[in-house]
């Protein structure tokens, strides 16, 4: 997710000035019990704003011990509980589990205090597998969000995520799950193969994770080696596309007086981001990515999923928007920041997974580095076009070089003066005293690798980040895993001093 915040050491501050614009985390491994395949039939009723879902997951016990129950998460329950408390307009949306069965036999289940947790009474011995089918009906709330629908430009946009049942992670002899967290994510999932039949009215265009084809209102989605599937559908979507590094980039945008500029800048930014991140970090694992335009609510710039990113386009779609009051043209700069950030998540979260609830810096901090410390600090056609739209003459190669120099000077000052920092490897529900959770994940989470880059030297740092990416490609990693790679490339006193400023050893995996 892209939160619109001010970063401490980040190049975003420099760029803006120049251009005017308690438990330890478990070691990474595949869960011993996992769903290797999901077969899903999802029907969207746009009159009732309701989803009818049938999800069959192939569950395999790769461990050495039997389990007496399987934990299915109907995460929509947690989402709607939050929505009902904070948004009156969402209270008519509910979720109801109709049945759970295995190999044709109906199963009973219990829930804990968190109604998202469905403890299914199903024994699964070591080495055994089963097909578990969950039938659920879920209302789509009217909310500007990653799960909700909006009325835009005489049509509807449905953002469908955090609404599909899935198997929880089973690691080290227990089920691992986290409550829904609206300001961030609670995800912690191994990759699976998804096969989805999605039904919507014929007038709707459908964007989705993976690759898809639509005919007569049925969209067939194949999303292999992905952590989850997300879908966006609208009867007002227009589609354009471009390519970068042999990846097809599909932009699903909405007609407006600003749509031509939005579409061009979104595609250019995605292309530039793919070129840079591929060169610096490694190859993107999929053949395409979808970008969808919509409204995501206050202070949210975008939302990431494997193969799909949602972009908030408030500055383009709304007549009155907070950004427009002080800086009438800032919507263009925001768009480049949002797109580059969410594209960056394809590398950190989408490809290299992590426990986003326990260690949110691993995806948000590293992605902020890609956005602010890589994309922003590289001269690109998209930023040049952005500057042109903003009538700014400040975006030059010389100023980009100057921004790099200032960032390096700031980082060296931080290192040499032995300035203090705050720990970043804490869970979202228990940040360090005096530190805001979002600051910990986004701001400080980016400051750590930004300072490491200077302490190690750029070449050595990106060699280490590339090795981290390759080592945990389509797997999951922890902070300890990240540190192990860093120290392979530089175990100097300077680097360890930086690590000790940001990383609390009591929260590291053993």
């Amino acid at each position: 997710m892209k939160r619109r915040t001010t970063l401490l050491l980040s190049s975003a501050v420099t760029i803006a000035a120049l251009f005017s614009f308690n438990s330890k985390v478990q070691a990474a491994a595949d869960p011993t019990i996992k769903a290797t395949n999901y077969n899903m039939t999802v029907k969207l009723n746009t009159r009732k704003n309701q989803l009818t879902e049938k999800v069959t997951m192939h569950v395999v016990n790769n461990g050495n011990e039997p389990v007496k129950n399987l934990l299915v998460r109907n995460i929509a329950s947690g989402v709607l509980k939050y929505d009902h408390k904070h948004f009156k307009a969402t209270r008519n949306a509910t979720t109801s589990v109709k049945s759970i069965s295995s190999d044709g036999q109906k199963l009973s289940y219990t829930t804990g205090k968190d109604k998202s947790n469905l403890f299914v009474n199903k024994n699964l011995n070591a080495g055994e597998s089963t097909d578990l089918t969950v039938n659920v009906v879920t209302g789509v709330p009217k909310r500007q969000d990653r799960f909700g629908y909006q009325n835009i430009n005489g049509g509807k946009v449905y953002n469908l995520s955090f609404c599909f049942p899935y198997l929880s992670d089973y690691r080290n002899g227990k089920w691992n799950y986290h409550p829904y967290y609206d300001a961030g994510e609670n995800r912690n999932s191994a990759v699976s193969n998804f096969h989805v039949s999605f039904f919507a009215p014929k007038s709707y265009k459908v964007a989705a994770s993976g690759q898809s084809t639509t005919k007569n209102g049925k969209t067939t989605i194949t999303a292999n080696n992905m952590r989850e599937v997300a879908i966006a559908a609208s009867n007002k979507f227009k589609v354009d596309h471009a390519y970068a590094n042999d990846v097809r980039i599909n932009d699903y945008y909405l007609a407006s007086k600003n749509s031509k500029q939005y579409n061009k800048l979104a595609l250019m930014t995605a292309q530039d981001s793919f070129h840079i991140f591929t060169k610096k970090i490694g190859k993107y694992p999929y053949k395409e990515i979808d970008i969808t335009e919509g409204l995501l609510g206050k202070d949210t710039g975008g939302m990431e999923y494997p193969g799909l990113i949602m972009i908030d386009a408030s500055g383009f779609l709304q007549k009155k928007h907070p950004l427009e009051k002080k800086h009438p043209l800032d919507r263009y700069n925001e768009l480049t920041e949002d797109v580059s950030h969410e594209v960056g998540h394809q590398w950190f979260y989408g490809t290299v997974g992590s426990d986003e609830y326990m260690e949110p810096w691993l995806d948000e901090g590293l992605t902020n580095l890609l956005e602010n410390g890589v994309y922003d600090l590289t001269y690109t056609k998209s930023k040049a076009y952005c500057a042109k739209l903003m009538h700014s003459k400040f975006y030059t190669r010389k100023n980009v070089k100057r921004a790099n120099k200032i960032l390096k000077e700031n980082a060296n000052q931080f290192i040499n003066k032995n300035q203090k920092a705050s720990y970043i490897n804490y869970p979202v529900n228990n940040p360090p005293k005096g530190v805001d959770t979002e600051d910990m994940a986004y701001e400080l989470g980016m400051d750590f690798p930004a300072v490491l880059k200077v302490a190690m030297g750029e070449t050595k740092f990106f060699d280490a980040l590339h090795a981290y990416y390759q080592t945990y490609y389509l797997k999951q990693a922890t902070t300890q895993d990240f540190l192990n790679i860093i120290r392979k490339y530089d175990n100097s006193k300077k680097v360890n001093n930086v690590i000790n400023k940001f990383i609390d050893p009591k929260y590291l995996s053993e």
Side-chain angles (χ1 to χ4, degrees), residues 182-199:
D182 195 74
E185 287 82 51
N186 65 330
R187 299 175 295 192
N188 180 33
S189 301
V191 299
S192 297
N193 296 326
F194 295 83
H195 307 278
V196 185
S197 295
F198 178 75
F199 296 86

Side-chain angles (χ1 to χ4, degrees), residues 46 150 152-158 201-206 233-238 254:
T46 57
Q150 311 125 52
I152 303 176
N153 293 353
K156 277 185 174 182
V157 176
Y158 287 87
K202 294 180 182 179
S203 59
Y204 277 69
K205 286 186 172 65
V206 178
S234 177
N235 56 352
K236 291 295 181 178
F237 272 155
K238 294 181 177 296
L254 299 160

Side-chain angles (χ1 to χ4, degrees), residues 213-498:
T213 57
T214 300
K215 184 176 181 180
N216 296 326
K218 177 184 177 181
T219 300
T220 302
I221 302 164
T222 301
N224 292 330
N225 291 318
M226 289 190 169
R227 301 186 188 281
E228 65 178 321
V229 162
I231 298 170
S234 177
N235 56 352
K236 291 295 181 178
F237 272 155
K238 294 181 177 296
V239 189
D240 196 3
H241 69 273
Y243 288 88
N245 298 90
D246 297 321
V247 176
R248 180 183 171 105
I249 304 167
N250 305 306
D251 185 32
Y252 290 77
Y253 66 98
L254 299 160
S256 71
K257 66 177 183 179
N258 301 307
S259 60
K260 183 177 180 180
Q261 294 168 334
Y262 168 90
N263 175 53
K264 182 177 179 179
L265 186 56
L267 284 173
M268 288 179 70
T269 303
Q271 284 179 301
D272 285 339
S273 299
F274 265 95
H275 289 315
I276 299 167
F277 301 159
T278 299
K279 182 178 179 180
K280 290 285 188 180
I281 312 300
K283 187 177 180 181
Y284 175 72
Y286 311 116
K287 294 182 179 180
E288 61 182 79
I289 186 172
D290 291 351
I291 305 173
T292 66
E293 182 183 19
L295 302 174
L296 294 178
K298 185 180 179 181
D299 298 327
T300 301
M303 184 62 207
E304 74 281 356
Y305 311 91
L308 183 146
I309 60 176
M310 298 175 181
I311 299 298
D312 177 77
S314 302
F316 294 85
L317 296 173
Q318 294 181 338
K319 292 182 179 179
K320 294 182 179 180
H321 187 264
L323 292 175
E324 303 294 284
K325 293 180 180 179
K326 295 183 179 179
H327 306 286
L329 299 174
D330 202 42
R331 62 178 178 265
Y332 301 117
N333 188 54
E334 286 289 348
L335 180 59
T336 63
E337 300 299 297
D338 296 343
V339 172
S340 65
H341 183 95
E342 304 309 342
V343 168
H345 270 303
Q346 300 302 307
W347 276 257
F348 298 117
Y349 155 68
T351 304
V352 177
S354 58
D355 190 324
E356 297 175 292
Y357 192 88
M358 296 299 293
E359 296 184 306
W361 88 269
L362 272 175
D363 69 297
E364 294 299 352
L366 290 176
T367 297
N368 255 356
L369 177 74
L370 294 186
E371 172 200 342
N372 296 293
V374 178
Y375 170 77
D376 270 354
L377 294 182
T378 305
Y379 187 86
T380 59
K381 292 181 180 179
S382 54
K383 275 292 189 182
Y385 178 59
C386 174
K388 180 180 179 181
L389 293 173
M390 297 178 72
H391 309 297
S392 171
K393 297 180 181 180
F394 291 96
Y395 189 74
T396 64
R397 295 181 188 276
K398 182 178 180 180
N399 276 347
V400 172
K401 188 175 181 179
R402 182 182 167 207
N404 276 280
K405 182 180 179 181
I406 292 173
L407 178 62
K408 186 175 181 179
E409 289 173 350
N410 289 345
N412 276 320
Q413 185 178 33
F414 174 87
I415 296 168
N416 296 330
K417 289 191 175 183
N418 201 29
Q419 294 178 353
K420 292 183 178 180
S422 294
Y423 292 134
I424 61 174
N425 59 319
Y426 277 46
V428 299
N429 65 337
N430 187 31
K433 187 176 181 180
V435 178
D436 179 82
T437 295
E438 291 179 21
D439 290 347
M440 176 186 71
Y442 290 82
E443 299 181 17
L444 292 165
M446 197 218 71
D447 291 341
F448 174 48
V451 175
L452 271 182
K453 181 174 67 145
V454 175
M456 298 173 67
E458 188 166 324
T459 299
K460 193 182 293 183
F461 173 78
F462 281 111
D463 284 347
L465 201 56
H466 174 78
Y468 172 72
Y469 183 74
Q470 294 299 324
T471 301
Y472 297 102
Y473 186 86
L474 297 178
K475 299 177 183 177
Q476 296 186 71
T478 66
T479 297
Q480 184 64 68
D481 297 323
F482 177 83
L483 297 182
N484 291 343
I485 298 289
I486 292 295
R487 285 178 170 135
K488 281 184 179 180
Y489 283 79
D490 193 331
N491 200 23
S492 65
K493 182 178 179 180
K494 179 192 282 190
V495 166
N496 278 289
N497 282 339
V498 172

